[in-house]
């Protein structure tokens, strides 16, 4: 399975690493291939509705393809963990930024970069990557500005994730 081929099928851990690499580093995308498609808004029986391209549809579909009949949706579980744990990590990031602790910023940004990608929030993941790089270079002003951007984008992404998982729950109940 590769998102740039537009094929949805079984995915393995080996498939997701190169795909995430391409999404997180646009220089790795071949010139002839399209960038990953993003989803905005709700994903229900009527298709995808607009919500500013916050979520990547290929990642969502890849996670949903892993669902076993009768089990709780994997996408919902992953999103739940992300939404439960990220606010505390964002608070820790703010503290590290205020204290000028670049190692702490770097470690948390690295973790959240991966977590955001796992829930299809590739724009948020890319912003965490930028923060991680700025922390590695000990660029305090850049870290501060990225933190402000992250706070706003996280609010938008978390709302979109709640909608996407609510749609999935409603769809499961009506099935």
């Amino acid at each position: 399975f590769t998102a740039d081929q537009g094929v949805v099928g079984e995915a393995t851990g080996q498939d997701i690493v190169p795909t995430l690499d391409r999404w997180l580093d646009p220089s790795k995308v071949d010139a002839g291939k399209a960038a990953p498609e993003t989803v905005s808004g709700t994903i229900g029986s009527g298709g995808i509705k607009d919500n500013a391209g916050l979520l990547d549809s290929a990642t969502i579909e890849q996670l949903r393809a892993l669902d076993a009949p009768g089990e709780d949706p994997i996408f919902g579980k992953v999103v739940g963990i992300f939404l439960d744990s990220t606010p505390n990590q964002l608070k820790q990031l703010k503290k590290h930024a205020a204290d000028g602790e670049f190692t702490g910023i770097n470690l948390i940004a690295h973790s959240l970069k991966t977590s955001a990608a796992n829930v299809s929030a590739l724009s948020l993941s890319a912003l965490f990557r930028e923060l991680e790089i700025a922390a590695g270079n000990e660029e305090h002003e850049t870290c501060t500005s990225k933190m402000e951007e992250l706070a706003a984008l996280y609010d938008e992404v978390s709302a979109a994730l709640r909608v996407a998982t609510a749609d999935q729950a409603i769809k499961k109940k009506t099935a």
Side-chain angles (χ1 to χ4, degrees), residues 150-164:
L150 282 165
L153 186 55
Y154 174 76
D155 288 344
E156 293 177 34
V157 165
S158 62
L161 287 169
R162 284 184 179 91
V163 169

Side-chain angles (χ1 to χ4, degrees), residues 59-144:
T59 304
I60 293 170
E61 292 308 317
Q62 188 176 24
L63 287 169
R64 287 185 176 165
L66 299 173
D67 289 345
E71 296 290 322
D72 288 335
I74 291 173
F75 180 64
K77 289 179 185 178
V78 173
V79 167
I81 292 166
F82 178 77
L83 293 175
D84 288 344
S85 64
T86 302
N88 188 44
Q89 290 179 299
L90 290 174
K91 287 177 189 173
Q92 291 176 9
L93 267 178
K94 286 181 184 179
K95 182 184 180 321
H96 288 311
D99 295 342
E101 294 177 8
F102 295 107
T103 301
I105 296 169
N106 190 297
L107 291 171
I108 293 172
H110 178 78
S111 174
L112 289 174
K113 170 186 72 176
T114 304
S115 297
N118 287 339
V119 296
S120 79
L122 301 184
S123 57
L124 185 63
S125 178
L127 196 51
F128 279 120
R129 181 174 188 268
E130 292 173 20
L131 177 62
E132 179 185 19
I133 291 167
N137 294 328
E138 297 188 1
E139 299 170 356
H140 191 266
E141 288 182 26
T142 303
C143 287
T144 302

Side-chain angles (χ1 to χ4, degrees), residues 37-43 48-49 51-58 60:
E37 178 184 345
T38 56
V39 185
S40 311
T42 63
I43 303 168
I48 298 166
K49 298 176 185 170
N51 194 0
L54 296 170
L55 306 177
D56 176 67
S57 62
I60 293 170

